[in-house]
Amino acid sequence: MDTKHCIYVFDKAYSDYKKFDQYTRDEKYFVTRLKDNAVVTEVKDLRISRSDNRLLDLGTQILCDKVVKLGSLYTYQTKETYRLIKILDKTGKELTFITNIDELFSEEIARLYKKTLGNRNFLQVDKAKSKI
């Protein structure tokens, strides 16, 4: 990831908390899904925010928007804080997103992921060749 002030969307297979901190310091913005077994320390709850125009599928619910730290004090805990946005999609699947973007609505964060990596026909990521 070379460019500042862009938004990178990547799969949850790329969970490297040290890199997340580095991206944040370098002003490289990202959205990714959180692994199911991730260690999360909640810092505070945020108000769920939505666009004036519906951005997510009908039946998709935003469950929470929080500020968190990722990882464990015993291994590596992020120095930076991140937003955790959890949704329940129209099929009943719970998805949790992590981002370092503060300026967008909760709904916009979920849409960024769902409309790129969430749609495998739109974007296929070659994990073996990626340098993220």
Side-chain angles (χ1 to χ4, degrees), residues 53-71:
N53 300 318
R54 183 172 201 70
L55 299 177
L56 298 173
D57 296 331
L58 194 61
T60 298
Q61 301 172 47
I62 301 172
L63 303 176
C64 69
D65 190 344
K66 300 176 182 282
V67 175
V68 301
K69 287 196 170 220
L70 303 171

Side-chain angles (χ1 to χ4, degrees), residues 4 6 8-9 11 24 33 37 41 46 66 71 73 80 91-92 94 106 110 124 126 129 131:
K4 288 183 176 185
C6 288
Y8 297 91
V9 180
D11 192 43
T24 301
R33 278 196 43 215
N37 63 348
T41 303
L46 298 174
K66 300 176 182 282
L73 292 172
E80 308 294 333
T91 67
E94 200 172 275
S106 313
Q124 286 291 324
D126 184 346
K129 293 182 181 175
K131 295 185 190 293

Side-chain angles (χ1 to χ4, degrees), residues 59-107:
T60 298
Q61 301 172 47
I62 301 172
L63 303 176
C64 69
D65 190 344
K66 300 176 182 282
V67 175
V68 301
K69 287 196 170 220
L70 303 171
S72 164
L73 292 172
Y74 303 107
T75 54
Y76 180 83
Q77 185 175 55
T78 57
K79 309 296 184 249
E80 308 294 333
T81 57
Y82 297 92
R83 282 177 71 192
L84 178 149
I85 296 140
K86 188 177 289 192
I87 69 166
L88 187 65
D89 75 10
K90 65 181 180 180
T91 67
K93 185 175 181 181
E94 200 172 275
L95 303 169
T96 305
F97 306 106
I98 290 293
T99 186
N100 61 350
I101 304 168
D102 295 327
E103 298 81 21
L104 296 180
F105 295 124
S106 313
E107 187 179 32

